[in-house]
Amino acid sequence: MRLVPALLACALLAGCSDEPSESEMRSVVEASTRRAVESQGRPFTGFEAFRKQGCVSAKDRTDGYDCYYAATLPPQPGQKALTVNGKGWFQRTDGGLRFVDLGAQPR
């Protein structure tokens, strides 16, 4: 039976979870931020840094994860870089990872 080795391998490897990786989270959060910033006529070059802080199964939705992250925006002229703590809902779909922004707080 081939299922048993597959399940054993899955149990031993971290890649079996549906939880989004840090790089997947960064990609969709950065794309969402780019759309929001550029819609205001301002340029967006991407995050200076991004760190996944953790995820939990979404309680108020049937599937997906509520995840926390810290994103550092490049400094504006004469200012320091700004790091924000954010929360988002992430769900795997046939079209990729879906992201809904649940809010951010400056740090």
Side-chain angles (χ1 to χ4, degrees):
M1 182 168 228
R2 291 186 175 157
L3 183 60
V4 174
L7 290 175
L8 180 59
C10 188
L12 296 174
L13 299 173
C16 296
S17 171
D18 254 1
E19 184 177 307
S21 70
E22 181 173 278
S23 63
E24 289 174 314
M25 288 174 59
R26 179 180 183 143
S27 179
V28 295
V29 173
E30 211 164 44
S32 176
T33 303
R34 175 172 279 107
R35 282 190 300 275
V37 170
E38 290 179 351
S39 74
Q40 298 171 2
R42 298 181 303 175
F44 180 73
T45 58
F47 296 134
E48 207 169 77
F50 185 93
R51 186 170 49 89
K52 175 181 175 179
Q53 296 176 321
C55 296
V56 296
S57 292
K59 293 180 181 159
D60 59 343
R61 299 179 191 257
T62 57
D63 58 356
Y65 291 88
D66 288 334
C67 298
Y68 301 85
Y69 58 87
T72 302
L73 300 165
Q76 298 298 313
Q79 298 179 357
K80 294 181 182 180
L82 175 67
T83 298
V84 295
N85 289 317
K87 178 181 178 185
W89 175 68
F90 297 82
Q91 177 191 41
R92 293 202 183 278
T93 68
D94 291 340
L97 191 62
R98 181 176 171 205
F99 166 69
V100 176
D101 186 1
L102 300 177
Q105 297 289 323
R107 187 162 80 160

